[in-house]
Amino acid sequence: MMIAIMSVYLALLFGAVWFGLIRFNTFWKSSPLILLLFLNLALFIPMGWGAPQGPALVFRNAVSIVPDVAGEVTEVAVVANTPLKAGDVLFRIDATPYDAQVKSITAQLKLSTTRLAQMTQLYERDAGRGFDVEQRQSEVDQLTGQLQAAQWNLDKTVVRAPADGYVTNLALRKGARVANLPLSPAMAFIDTSDTRVVVEINQIDARYIAPGQEAEIAFKFVPGRVFGGKVESILQAVATGQAQISGTAVAPKEIQTVPFVVRVKLDDEDFAKKLPAGATGTAAIYTEHVKVSHIIRRVLLRQVAILDYVNPF
C-alpha cells in the first residue's frame, strides 16, 4: 500500500512538473521523502494498534467418546467425517447382559411389591406387624433404585453424539470390545455446534482491542473473500505467564514476548459451521482509535484475500 500511494504521488508530481503547474524547486524535490515520513508517522505505524492484523485459526472442541458401559460393539452407525446431529447414534454395545439384569430386577421388584401389598393388608386388619411392612417397603425402594441403575446401563449401550458435529479418524469396528476407561476412548468427536476463530495479535498492537469490535477475516480455505465478525474476548493468560504447582522454588527461564490471543465469532454462522478445524487465514480488528487507518487495512486485507488464490502460505 505504501508503494502504491508513493507511486501515485510521484506520477502526480511528474505530471504537475511536466505541464508546468509547479516549479520543481527544493521543496518539491524533497516532498516524496516528506510524504513518506508523514505517512509512516501519521498512518502506517499507528495502524498497528488502530487496526491490528494477525494470523487466524479455526479451532473446535474435540470430545473423546468413552462409553459409560463396557461390552462388545454390535454396530458402528456412523461414517467418518459425515455431519451428525446431537443425539444421533454413534455405535451400539451388546445389550444382552444389561437387558437380563433389568429383567431380573424387574421380576424381584414385582414380587416384593406383591409382598408389600399383602403385608400392608395384614397390618391394616391388625393381623400383621408394622415392622414387616417397613421391611418390605425398604426392599421395594432398594430394588427400585437398582432397576433405575440397571435401566440406565441398558440405555447407555446405545452411544449417541453429544452435540452437532462429526466423527474423525474412525477406527472402531463391529466386534471390538470397549470399556468405560477415560484413557481408552472409542472415537474422537469434533463438535461443530460452536465455531470459534482465534487471532494472534502482537502485544504492542493489542492495547485497544475490546469485545464487540468489528473484525474481518480472509481464509485460505475460501480465497478471494472476506468475512465479518465480532471480537468475543481477549484471552487473559498465555502459557508463558502461567504459574505451575510445584514443590520447588521459582526457576528462572527465558522471557519471550508472545502474541496475545483474541477470540472472534463470525457473523455468518452457517459458513462458520462449514469451516474445517485447522483452517487458517489473516484477520484484522478495527478498534476505536486511528479510524482513518481502517480504510487502508480493509484494502490490505482484500489484497491478501486475492493473493490467497496463488499464495499457499
Side-chain angles (χ1 to χ4, degrees):
M1 181 57 69
M2 177 72 76
I3 296 175
I5 293 176
M6 292 303 300
S7 298
V8 172
Y9 177 76
L10 290 174
L12 293 175
L13 179 61
F14 177 79
V17 174
W18 178 266
F19 290 107
L21 299 177
I22 61 174
R23 295 181 61 185
F24 198 51
N25 53 28
T26 303
F27 171 78
W28 290 110
K29 289 180 180 179
S30 61
S31 63
L33 179 59
I34 296 173
L35 178 62
L36 181 64
L37 292 174
F38 174 78
L39 289 176
N40 274 290
L41 296 176
L43 184 60
F44 284 94
I45 293 177
M47 183 172 62
W49 61 79
Q53 177 178 302
L57 173 69
V58 177
F59 78 95
R60 301 190 184 279
N61 293 324
V63 181
S64 297
I65 302 299
V66 179
D68 292 302
V69 295
E72 181 181 341
V73 175
T74 59
E75 178 190 3
V76 179
V78 295
V79 177
N81 304 313
T82 300
L84 299 170
K85 295 292 184 181
D88 287 350
V89 176
L90 299 179
F91 61 93
R92 302 176 190 273
I93 299 173
D94 186 6
T96 302
Y98 302 102
D99 184 55
Q101 187 178 25
V102 169
K103 291 179 178 178
S104 174
I105 297 175
T106 300
Q108 296 177 46
L109 178 60
K110 183 178 180 180
L111 178 60
S112 295
T113 303
T114 301
R115 289 178 175 175
L116 173 61
Q118 294 172 346
M119 291 297 177
T120 302
Q121 290 180 357
L122 292 174
Y123 177 72
E124 291 174 348
R125 297 173 182 175
D126 294 329
R129 300 181 302 173
F131 173 79
D132 294 334
V133 175
E134 293 177 357
Q135 186 179 28
R136 296 303 177 185
Q137 183 64 58
S138 176
E139 290 178 0
V140 170
D141 293 340
Q142 290 179 7
L143 289 172
T144 300
Q146 293 176 15
L147 180 60
Q148 290 178 348
Q151 185 62 52
W152 184 85
N153 287 335
L154 178 60
D155 294 339
K156 291 301 180 179
T157 58
V158 179
V159 182
R160 301 182 181 275
D164 294 349
Y166 58 90
V167 173
T168 187
N169 195 24
L170 179 62
L172 187 67
R173 294 293 183 269
K174 179 180 178 180
R177 184 170 182 83
V178 294
N180 55 339
L181 299 174
L183 298 179
S184 181
M187 58 179 60
F189 182 86
I190 306 300
D191 184 353
T192 60
S193 61
D194 188 23
T195 302
R196 288 293 180 270
V197 180
V198 295
V199 183
E200 288 189 346
I201 301 295
N202 292 329
Q203 292 189 22
I204 192 174
D205 297 331
R207 68 192 78 171
Y208 297 125
I209 297 177
Q213 291 175 344
E214 181 187 2
E216 288 186 328
I217 305 175
F219 290 102
K220 294 284 187 182
F221 182 68
V222 189
R225 296 180 61 185
V226 175
F227 297 89
K230 291 290 188 296
V231 174
E232 190 176 53
S233 63
I234 301 94
L235 301 191
Q236 298 299 315
V238 291
T240 53
Q242 180 180 2
Q244 299 284 355
I245 298 176
S246 173
T248 60
V250 176
K253 60 181 179 180
E254 182 180 357
I255 297 177
Q256 297 180 345
T257 302
V258 298
F260 286 149
V261 177
V262 179
R263 293 183 62 171
V264 174
K265 184 175 183 179
L266 296 177
D267 295 333
D268 190 343
E269 295 185 0
D270 292 334
F271 170 74
K273 292 180 179 179
K274 298 177 183 178
L275 280 172
T280 59
T282 303
I285 299 173
Y286 305 106
T287 70
E288 301 301 322
H289 295 74
V290 200
K291 291 187 177 182
V292 67
S293 67
H294 294 184
I295 299 175
I296 304 298
R297 182 63 78 193
R298 292 180 191 275
V299 174
L300 291 173
L301 187 64
R302 281 152 180 79
Q303 290 178 351
V304 171
I306 295 173
L307 290 174
D308 282 341
Y309 279 108
V310 294
N311 182 15
F313 304 105

